[in-house]
Amino acid sequence: EVHLAESGGGLVQPGGSLRLSCTASGYAFDDPTIGWFRQAPGKEREGVSCIRTDDDSIYYRDSVLGRFSISSDRAKGAVYLQMNDLSPEDTAVYYCAAPCLLGTEELVRYWGQGIQVTVSS
């Protein structure tokens, strides 16, 4: 059984940083991609960042470029999202997802339970 578990969310002030972690237990990485989606209140879920764990190719949505950084440790089955210079527009529930393709949810077979990130003063 595959289980994705996120951690590291919380409340942070604008301009602050958070680091999300996801551990993918039982996932064989038959598709090497894994990453993060988010859903803000009243909005559709959107892809944030994906990484290929075989060659470290990385993909970001435009609004997080230069602020967010994704990394992975395939041996640990883990993916991380370092989020810097956070703004209230980043407030959302963040989901770990595998496989991961930035522009669509259609390829995602496994979702984490989601973790809240709130950016507010």
Side-chain angles (χ1 to χ4, degrees):
E1 181 181 0
V2 175
H3 182 62
L4 305 183
E6 303 101 337
S7 61
L11 172 64
V12 64
Q13 291 187 343
S17 299
L18 282 174
R19 185 176 188 243
L20 302 183
S21 300
C22 171
T23 302
S25 58
Y27 185 56
F29 286 93
D30 50 316
D31 182 307
T33 60
I34 191 168
W36 298 91
F37 284 69
R38 68 184 181 187
Q39 187 168 23
K43 295 186 177 181
E44 293 186 354
R45 189 157 50 189
E46 61 186 18
V48 176
S49 183
C50 302
I51 185 169
R52 286 185 62 98
T53 60
D54 54 355
D55 65 6
D56 288 334
S57 296
I58 290 174
Y59 308 91
Y60 297 105
R61 69 177 301 105
D62 288 349
S63 62
V64 307
L65 272 173
R67 300 187 300 121
F68 290 14
S69 178
I70 192 171
S71 59
S72 68
D73 186 335
R74 184 161 172 168
K76 295 182 178 179
V79 61
Y80 310 100
L81 187 68
Q82 177 67 43
M83 306 184 293
N84 299 326
D85 192 22
L86 285 160
S87 72
E89 289 70 35
D90 297 313
T91 294
V93 176
Y94 283 70
Y95 297 89
C96 184
C100 184
L101 185 63
L102 209 54
T104 179
E105 296 184 12
E106 292 185 2
L107 298 184
V108 177
R109 300 203 304 267
Y110 305 104
W111 293 97
Q113 79 281 3
I115 192 163
Q116 180 69 46
V117 171
T118 302
V119 185
S120 175
S121 55

